Amino acid sequence: FFVVREPLDRLVSQYCYARDYEYFNIYHQKYGVPKKWPLTCDMVDKYALAVLQLVKDRGQAYEDCHYLPQWAYASKVVKAIPWSKEMQRDLRQLHPRLANLSLKVHNRAPDDAPCRRFGITSDCFSPSTVAALREYYSDDYK
């Protein structure tokens, strides 16, 4: 099985993570993604456009495959589980051996993390950015 996540939410998550690391500077220096405080929707929108340009320039495997459409993985499995609040329940139903599975919360930003505090979500993307992202991730929406 494979757990799938909504592509736009996945990209926002990667932005919120990456902006704290040195390698984020390529987005700032080469593609003009602002690095300022407080965070704004414009910043994540420009980041998304920079990602699309980077994968065009460097290939989908850029940055450890974080931008690779999920269908590349999901096409090789029998069952896809959506990332949701019900994921533990859904996984438990897959097989009797998973009936007592208990998922711990990992990789979740605290409630006061900058992206949460400033409302950085996929709603920040402009309509033209959403269209470009949906085209790039079109197979993930099938």
Side-chain angles (χ1 to χ4, degrees), residues 8 17 19-20 25 29 34 36-37 49 51 59-62 71 73 76 82 92 96-97 108 116 127 129 132 139 141:
L8 279 66
Y17 175 81
R19 58 173 297 285
D20 290 332
N25 285 332
Q29 294 165 352
K36 61 182 181 180
W37 195 259
L49 295 174
V51 165
Q60 290 181 328
Y62 179 71
W71 70 265
Y73 301 104
K76 298 173 179 18
R92 286 178 172 179
R97 286 185 169 171
R108 183 181 188 276
R116 288 184 190 274
T129 299
D139 287 330
Y141 288 103

Side-chain angles (χ1 to χ4, degrees), residues 72-93:
Y73 301 104
S75 64
K76 298 173 179 18
V77 299
V78 174
K79 177 83 174 159
I81 305 288
W83 179 287
S84 73
K85 292 180 181 181
E86 304 302 325
M87 189 166 49
Q88 180 172 282
R89 181 206 64 203
D90 295 343
L91 290 170
R92 286 178 172 179
Q93 293 173 354

Side-chain angles (χ1 to χ4, degrees), residues 37-77:
W37 195 259
L39 304 183
T40 65
C41 280
D42 181 59
M43 295 164 80
V44 72
D45 192 71
K46 288 183 176 169
Y47 171 78
L49 295 174
V51 165
L52 290 173
Q53 188 60 50
L54 270 167
V55 295
K56 183 178 179 184
D57 294 346
R58 296 186 180 189
Q60 290 181 328
Y62 179 71
E63 257 188 48
D64 194 25
C65 302
H66 277 94
Y67 307 120
L68 189 66
Q70 294 174 99
W71 70 265
Y73 301 104
S75 64
K76 298 173 179 18
V77 299

